[in-house]
Amino acid sequence: MSFEEIKRKMHSGEIYDPGETELFDYQITLIEKVNQYNKTPATRKGLEERAKMLKDMFGAIGEDSYIEPPFHANLGGSNVFIGKYFYANFNLTLVDDGYIYIGDGVMLAPNVTIATAAHPISPKLREYQLQYNLPVKIGNNVWVGTGAMIMPGVTIGDNCVIGAGSVVTKDIPNNVVAFGNPCRVIREISEEDYKTYNRGTKIPEEIIEKYK
């Protein structure tokens, strides 16, 4: 099978063999870029270098976006498309064999995993490490809590909050708070959320006026 045919199957949902030599060599090259990013020190010069590295590694990444090292990515971020003002805290894991799309203003807490790769239930097929990939989509202004796992094929709508430790196995609509294992919608985001934080504590009027 040609390298181009393997890459096509990676984004079609079809089962394929990830152990093909050309794919393995390609993957190693991309992972090395991630390793270099993680080794780059948090000095003024180092932060400038990291910004350039992110532009080189990712399919796309918008302005004022940043990832705290260490982070990990199967295909080095090459299948990941991120909007503006993105922030990911320590230990982000991207299983980016398939496409990952992330909108503007998204925040990921430490130890978040976003996975696109899956394997068949058949133990015979898994013996040969066959896999298939389903894309993940995250909308704008989403906050994902510590240790959350977003599974293959999931779409998360705009403005959502995904609670810490959640395992997101199904689509989440816009404008909701959702958490749990499996993750489920708990409530809609309401007008009250624009006036209060931390279990009903009032947001000072000057803050509301400044950021409305």
Side-chain angles (χ1 to χ4, degrees):
M1 186 185 305
S2 71
F3 184 49
E4 289 306 315
E5 178 65 9
I6 295 169
K7 290 180 72 175
R8 185 195 66 78
K9 287 194 171 188
M10 290 173 70
H11 304 299
S12 69
E14 298 173 61
I15 288 178
Y16 68 98
D17 180 0
E20 294 279 353
T21 303
E22 283 187 277
L23 179 58
F24 178 77
D25 293 342
Y26 173 67
Q27 183 175 16
I28 291 298
T29 300
L30 297 174
I31 289 174
E32 180 55 31
K33 293 183 179 182
V34 176
N35 293 339
Q36 289 301 318
Y37 182 88
N38 289 333
K39 293 175 184 176
T40 302
T43 61
R44 187 173 298 278
K45 183 178 179 181
L47 292 174
E48 291 174 357
E49 286 299 313
R50 286 181 189 174
K52 293 176 184 176
M53 290 178 180
L54 289 176
K55 293 285 187 184
D56 178 54
M57 288 188 291
F58 281 78
I61 187 164
E63 63 181 287
D64 294 327
S65 294
Y66 184 69
I67 299 174
E68 296 282 3
F71 90 98
H72 314 279
N74 280 22
L75 270 293
S78 61
N79 289 327
V80 182
F81 301 84
I82 297 174
K84 301 177 290 186
Y85 317 126
F86 170 78
Y87 176 77
N89 216 319
F90 304 106
N91 293 314
L92 170 64
T93 297
L94 301 173
V95 186
D96 62 335
D97 301 68
Y99 289 131
I100 297 172
Y101 302 95
I102 299 174
D104 297 336
V106 172
M107 298 190 300
L108 307 181
N111 301 309
V112 168
T113 297
I114 303 173
T116 64
H119 303 280
I121 299 298
S122 164
K124 189 63 179 176
L125 295 181
R126 283 189 286 108
E127 181 180 340
Y128 293 96
Q129 301 181 351
L130 301 187
Q131 74 176 62
Y132 61 98
N133 308 317
L134 301 173
V136 169
K137 299 177 182 179
I138 299 174
N140 299 317
N141 302 314
V142 173
W143 173 27
V144 180
T146 300
M149 293 183 282
I150 301 170
M151 297 293 100
V154 163
T155 294
I156 296 174
D158 294 341
N159 306 318
C160 290
V161 176
I162 305 298
S166 296
V167 180
V168 189
T169 60
K170 295 182 179 179
D171 291 354
I172 303 294
N174 296 338
N175 301 305
V176 298
V177 176
F179 57 81
N181 181 6
C183 187
R184 63 192 187 282
V185 174
I186 303 302
R187 65 176 179 85
E188 293 186 356
I189 293 171
S190 69
E191 283 298 317
E192 192 64 19
D193 293 302
Y194 292 89
K195 301 174 184 178
T196 64
Y197 72 106
N198 190 26
R199 302 178 184 180
T201 303
K202 288 187 177 180
I203 299 171
E205 285 296 328
E206 61 267 26
I207 296 291
I208 292 175
E209 284 300 312
K210 183 176 180 179
Y211 296 103
K212 67 181 179 180

